[in-house]
Amino acid sequence: FVVVPDDEAWNLGAAICAERAAWLRLAALDAALAPGAVDAVYIVTDAARPITPGVLCREYMYSSPLTTPATRVVVAAAGCRGAPSVYALGELLPAPSPYAELDAPAQKALGAALAARVIDAAFDDVRLVDDESSSEACAPPGAARRCYEAAKAATRADDRATLHPIAYGAAAVFDDGDIATAAQFKALEYGCSLDPVASLAEAVLRRRAAGRRPRYVAMVDHFGVAHAPFARGRAFLVEAGLGDCLVLYHDCAGVLDDETRRVGGAPPVNGGRRPSVDIRGRVVTRAVRARDLAPFVPDFTDDDLGGGGQRDGAPTNGDALEAPPSSTLPSNGHGPPHTT
């Protein structure tokens, strides 16, 4: 096992969390680790309550061949007398990209194979992951399709294919029918690239200040595959108080998670480490509340940070959450965390 802390820089974007630092140290210690070798990740904090991994760390760990969706994530607080909370990595990162764990050429090949399937995905009857969503009822007619098409069109601005072959665009449709778009900007140093959904921030926040809210958000690649936002996009939507916004993504009938593998009897692939994509399967367009893409995210306030009270207008992950008991985590509408 390895034990490492996080490391912060004056440039917030350059900080590295303890989880990613641990992965790099693992790789340095033993380059011959077997796939799925990480059995559990333990995260301990000196805060008053346990803290789950940030969304970027969840995405990074999920993309590693050393983990599986079932890898345990155990969180605890030094000053908390309650039992540690235990999650499966897969439940911390719902709707991962179908390109997860693929190198650039494999991503391009899969995207090209899926391109013929996504054109048949229906938008007139978007399948909501959460049928109780109030956002859909307020959305203008045809908003889902317009959002998808605008995001796909925005991929044309992501034109540095020599750096990476996949182009991404994003779009947001507001309750008055207005649309904002943005594109990924690839940097030579990948970590300096600009996320397409996060790049919508200025347009979204400016409209929200004028009383308009986004009803649909989509992130689409140039093949037409709609992905749930990457980590920075999820963090923006959730922490900016836009958790009730509906996010569009494509799901294939052949994308096998643990549940469908058990129900459908399909054999596991990649040694059972990751879902597979059957390009023969029917593509379904789904919508999910943004907050459900980052479950169990701590709802920090100034009180947690020693400031003596919540800031005016502090983000609450899309909901007004009450402070939980110190032995639990805020669930953002999900059930309580598992405990051991």
Side-chain angles (χ1 to χ4, degrees):
F1 65 91
V2 296
V3 179
V4 294
D6 62 346
D7 191 16
E8 298 178 357
W10 61 269
N11 171 12
L12 296 180
I16 183 167
C17 64
E19 296 92 328
R20 284 180 287 153
W23 248 249
L24 295 176
R25 187 170 182 186
L26 269 177
L29 289 176
D30 190 349
L33 286 171
V38 174
D39 177 67
V41 179
Y42 293 83
I43 302 170
V44 181
T45 176
D46 59 0
R49 54 189 177 188
I51 298 174
T52 53
V55 187
L56 186 62
C57 293
R58 301 176 186 194
E59 186 175 76
Y60 187 87
M61 291 188 292
Y62 193 97
S63 69
S64 170
L66 298 180
T67 65
T68 75
T71 297
R72 293 178 301 135
V73 179
V74 184
V75 296
C80 176
R81 296 182 179 179
S85 298
V86 184
Y87 304 88
L89 179 57
E91 72 178 314
L92 293 176
L93 191 74
S97 169
Y99 300 161
E101 206 187 321
L102 299 180
D103 61 19
Q107 291 178 35
K108 183 178 180 180
L110 178 56
L114 288 174
R117 311 301 303 174
V118 298
I119 59 174
D120 296 325
F123 281 89
D124 298 330
D125 182 26
V126 175
R127 300 189 182 187
L128 299 181
V129 174
D130 179 2
D131 289 329
E132 297 178 357
S133 172
S134 60
S135 294
E136 189 211 17
C138 301
R145 179 174 289 279
R146 292 177 60 223
C147 188
Y148 168 80
E149 292 177 348
K152 185 178 180 182
T155 64
R156 290 194 290 267
D158 181 3
D159 57 359
R160 307 186 78 186
T162 54
L163 294 178
H164 195 279
I166 308 298
Y168 291 97
V173 173
F174 296 83
D175 44 18
D176 63 353
D178 193 15
I179 297 180
T181 62
Q184 174 179 251
F185 177 81
K186 301 186 188 84
L188 183 61
E189 183 180 7
Y190 279 176
C192 292
S193 299
L194 301 181
D195 179 271
V197 174
S199 294
L200 288 171
E202 189 275 335
V204 169
L205 296 178
R206 176 163 40 84
R207 287 169 172 80
R208 187 178 68 174
R212 294 179 289 170
R213 293 182 66 84
R215 294 307 177 189
Y216 282 106
V217 168
M219 185 181 81
V220 181
D221 66 34
H222 68 286
F223 292 113
V225 180
H227 303 252
F230 297 143
R232 287 183 174 84
R234 297 186 190 207
F236 163 65
L237 293 173
V238 171
E239 296 185 39
L242 301 170
D244 62 341
C245 174
L246 289 175
V247 175
L248 300 169
Y249 69 96
H250 279 141
D251 191 9
C252 296
V255 176
L256 307 177
D257 56 21
D258 288 342
E259 184 64 24
T260 55
R261 184 175 291 118
R262 286 194 296 269
V263 173
V269 296
N270 301 328
R273 293 185 293 114
R274 283 290 180 272
S276 67
V277 176
D278 179 357
I279 62 172
R280 298 166 299 176
R282 176 171 177 262
V283 172
V284 176
T285 304
R286 299 193 186 277
V288 63
R289 289 178 188 260
R291 66 166 173 264
D292 291 333
L293 292 172
F296 311 113
V297 172
D299 181 33
F300 284 119
T301 65
D302 276 354
D303 212 25
D304 298 300
L305 304 175
Q310 182 169 337
R311 297 183 300 275
D312 290 338
T316 57
N317 304 341
D319 286 322
L321 299 176
E322 297 181 0
S326 60
S327 61
T328 64
L329 284 167
S331 64
N332 300 332
H334 294 259
H338 311 301
T339 59
T340 59

